[in-house]
Amino acid sequence: MNILLIDDEHLEVEQLEYLISPHFPNWTIFKAYDASQALQIAKKTKIELIFLDIHMPGKSGLELAKDLKALYKTRIVMVTAYQSFEFAQKAIRIGVEDYLTKPIIEDDLMRVINKYDHWNSKDSTIQSALDIIHENYSEKLTVNDIAKKIFINPSYLSRKFLETQKIGLNEYLNRYRLEKVTQLLASEKEHSISEIAEKCGFNSQHYLSVAFKKKFGITPREYRLRSRLGMQHENS
């Protein structure tokens, strides 16, 4: 797998490489120290996973993440020296998958990397199942439906998915839908929560609210309000 480490601090890049290399000796690690260098590398080589510092000279990490996402489908982990709800909102809006806080702890880094390593190493059956979920999450979708589309036994699909992804297929589908909900809550002000629930495959606003609060600790309405306050603060 090709990964790209981006930070204007050379020492931070070297530390990340030092932590990653022993665990994944077959990976190709690219390094960049500014936005221009990072974009040059990404345009020449397909990068599957990017670690990007939020503070970059000239162009912020979030702006660079947006540019990298525009090139092709890649996964970005933001690296930041602080945690904030406002930062998380901005990252979600541009499709950042995860983030790590400095100083980076090896266990936290491995937890994040393993998640994407499983994605990268999955077989074609699981890739097909994931493609179906990503393209049809707004519809009523069951394990049986997905298995039928790729012509395999539903029990085998469930077992294989759990083995490779370390998460059950139904749980993955639910998490993916909730991620889409957070993006819509932050970006589509004109749509009601009920409409967003329907667009993301939830049977009702009530079911969405229960699932959302269980995962995030707040209701969709509270999330939207915080998102708007964050944007107002950003624009003021």
Side-chain angles (χ1 to χ4, degrees):
M1 181 159 73
N2 294 327
I3 70 169
L4 175 59
L5 312 178
I6 311 169
D7 198 312
D8 60 311
E9 295 287 341
H10 286 233
L11 191 60
E12 297 289 345
V13 172
E14 299 305 319
Q15 182 199 16
L16 266 176
E17 183 180 32
Y18 175 79
L19 291 174
I20 293 170
S21 294
H23 295 278
F24 304 96
N26 295 323
W27 285 9
T28 302
I29 298 177
F30 296 87
K31 295 177 282 187
Y33 305 100
D34 58 45
S36 176
Q37 192 177 14
L39 287 168
Q40 282 185 345
I41 293 171
K43 287 175 182 177
K44 290 179 181 178
T45 306
K46 178 70 182 293
I47 304 293
E48 285 84 19
L49 181 60
I50 297 171
F51 288 87
L52 170 59
D53 183 46
I54 190 172
H55 294 297
M56 298 290 293
K59 178 176 289 192
S60 76
L62 288 171
E63 291 175 317
L64 178 54
K66 194 181 299 183
D67 292 343
L68 290 165
K69 281 282 188 180
L71 293 178
Y72 45 74
K73 187 175 180 180
T74 187
R75 281 160 168 73
I76 297 178
V77 178
M78 297 298 297
V79 181
T80 175
Y82 62 93
Q83 287 181 325
S84 76
F85 185 82
E86 182 182 351
F87 163 76
Q89 291 296 305
K90 292 177 182 177
I92 285 170
R93 286 200 292 271
I94 62 173
V96 169
E97 280 79 11
D98 221 325
Y99 71 93
L100 288 167
T101 53
K102 297 179 180 179
I104 293 175
I105 298 171
E106 186 172 4
D107 286 348
D108 292 339
L109 176 63
M110 289 303 112
R111 173 185 55 78
V112 170
I113 285 182
N114 283 330
K115 184 163 42 174
Y116 301 110
D117 182 47
H118 288 313
W119 180 90
N120 187 65
S121 62
K122 62 190 171 299
D123 62 25
S124 60
T125 297
I126 301 306
Q127 177 63 66
S128 297
L130 287 167
D131 288 343
I132 291 169
I133 289 172
H134 297 165
E135 293 168 11
N136 303 281
Y137 66 90
S138 62
E139 303 172 10
K140 182 181 178 182
L141 203 58
T142 66
V143 174
N144 286 345
D145 295 328
I146 297 171
K148 188 180 294 185
K149 288 177 182 289
I150 54 182
F151 308 103
I152 64 169
N153 181 277
S155 297
Y156 173 81
L157 173 60
S158 294
R159 185 173 68 254
K160 192 73 173 176
F161 196 97
L162 181 60
E163 286 175 0
T164 59
Q165 304 306 296
K166 309 306 178 187
I167 184 175
L169 191 152
N170 283 325
E171 186 180 354
Y172 179 90
L173 173 59
N174 197 50
R175 284 190 184 182
Y176 189 80
R177 284 171 168 163
L178 286 171
E179 287 176 9
K180 291 299 179 181
V181 168
T182 61
Q183 293 174 19
L184 293 182
L185 286 172
S187 63
E188 298 196 6
K189 300 176 184 177
E190 69 279 8
H191 287 100
S192 68
I193 293 175
S194 179
E195 289 172 325
I196 289 175
E198 185 177 352
K199 287 182 71 171
C200 294
F202 288 94
N203 294 330
S204 67
Q205 181 178 338
H206 173 73
Y207 181 69
L208 166 61
S209 295
V210 171
F212 196 95
K213 188 164 187 178
K214 183 178 180 181
K215 179 169 177 59
F216 297 108
I218 57 175
T219 66
R221 195 175 304 280
E222 290 169 328
Y223 187 96
R224 169 172 269 179
L225 178 60
R226 291 192 190 183
S227 176
R228 287 177 179 174
L229 290 174
M231 292 179 70
Q232 288 173 4
H233 176 72
E234 179 185 343
N235 296 327
S236 62

